[in-house]
C-alpha cells in the first residue's frame, strides 16, 4: 500500500466528515449532497420560492439541461421536477477511438401552499432556469380565457 492509497483514504474520511457536518447543519436534509431519487442518482436542484400578491413564483436552476429533458409533474401536494441529460462523445485518434459519457440529473419536489391552483401552471425555461408561475385559486378564476404567452400545463 503506497502513500497515494493513504492520501485517498484521508480525503474520503474528510468528505464523510463534511457530509456529516452539512447533514447536521441542515437538520437531516442533504441539501448540498447527492441523494437517491427514484432509481438513479440526482442532484437536488437549487430552488427559489417567492410568494406574491396573487401568485407564487418558483425558480429552479437546471444548468446544462435542454428544455426537452425537463419533466414537470403535478403531485398531490405540489410539483415535482426531474431533468436528465446524457451525452456520449466519440473521438477518433491515430490508433483507435475514445468514448466519453457524461450525465447530469436534477430532482426537486416542491410543496406549495393549499391556496395555489395546481390546475393552471405557467412554465418557461431560459438560460438554465425553469420558472413556474402558480396562481392562487382566486387569481386563476380571473385568468380563465386569457392567453399569457407561456406554456400551459
Amino acid at each position: 500500500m503506497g502513500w497515494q492509497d493513504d492520501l485517498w483514504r484521508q480525503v474520503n474520511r474528510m468528505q464523510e466528515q463534511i457530509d456529516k457536518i452539512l447533514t447536521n447543519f441542515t437538520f437531516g436534509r442533504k441539501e448540498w449532497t447527492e441523494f437517491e431519487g427514484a432509481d438513479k442518482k440526482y442532484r437536488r436542484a437549487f430552488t427559489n420560492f417567492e410568494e406574491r400578491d396573487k401568485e407564487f413564483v418558483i425558480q429552479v436552476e437546471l444548468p446544462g439541461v435542454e428544455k426537452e429533458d425537463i419533466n414537470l409533474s403535478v403531485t398531490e401536494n405540489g410539483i415535482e421536477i426531474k431533468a436528465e441529460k446524457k451525452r456520449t462523445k466519440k473521438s477518433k485518434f491515430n490508433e483507435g477511438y475514445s468514448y466519453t459519457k457524461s450525465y447530469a440529473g436534477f430532482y426537486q419536489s416542491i410543496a406549495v401552499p393549499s391556496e395555489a391552483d395546481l390546475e393552471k401552471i405557467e412554465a418557461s425555461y431560459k438560460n438554465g432556469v425553469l420558472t413556474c408561475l402558480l396562481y392562487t385559486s382566486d387569481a386563476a378564476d380571473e385568468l380563465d380565457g386569457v392567453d399569457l404567452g407561456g406554456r400551459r400545463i
Side-chain angles (χ1 to χ4, degrees), residues 12-69:
N12 287 333
R13 188 175 32 210
M14 284 189 292
Q15 180 65 47
E16 289 171 3
Q17 290 173 347
I18 290 170
D19 286 344
K20 185 184 287 186
I21 290 169
L22 289 178
T23 300
N24 290 336
F25 178 71
T26 60
F27 306 104
R29 297 180 320 227
K30 289 189 172 187
E31 301 263 345
W32 296 305
T33 59
E34 290 183 341
F35 68 100
E36 286 291 323
D39 59 350
K40 297 184 180 185
K41 280 205 169 195
Y42 291 93
R43 288 182 281 169
R44 187 172 303 274
F46 291 108
T47 306
N48 183 40
F49 185 92
E50 182 181 346
E51 184 175 350
R52 296 183 183 164
D53 188 30
K54 292 188 175 185
E55 62 192 16
F56 303 98
V57 180
I58 300 170
Q59 293 179 315
V60 182
E61 294 182 21
L62 303 169
V65 176
E66 299 295 325
K67 185 177 182 178
E68 304 80 42
D69 300 323

Side-chain angles (χ1 to χ4, degrees), residues 47-49 56-60 70-82 107-113 116-123 130-134 153:
T47 306
N48 183 40
F49 185 92
F56 303 98
V57 180
I58 300 170
Q59 293 179 315
V60 182
I70 300 171
N71 181 1
L72 176 71
S73 57
V74 177
T75 64
E76 191 175 299
N77 300 328
I79 60 174
E80 184 177 78
I81 300 164
K82 288 183 184 179
Y107 173 84
Q108 186 68 44
S109 178
I110 303 165
V112 296
D117 186 353
L118 293 174
E119 297 294 319
K120 297 177 182 168
I121 300 173
E122 290 285 325
L130 174 68
T131 302
C132 299
L133 197 59
L134 292 85
I153 297 177

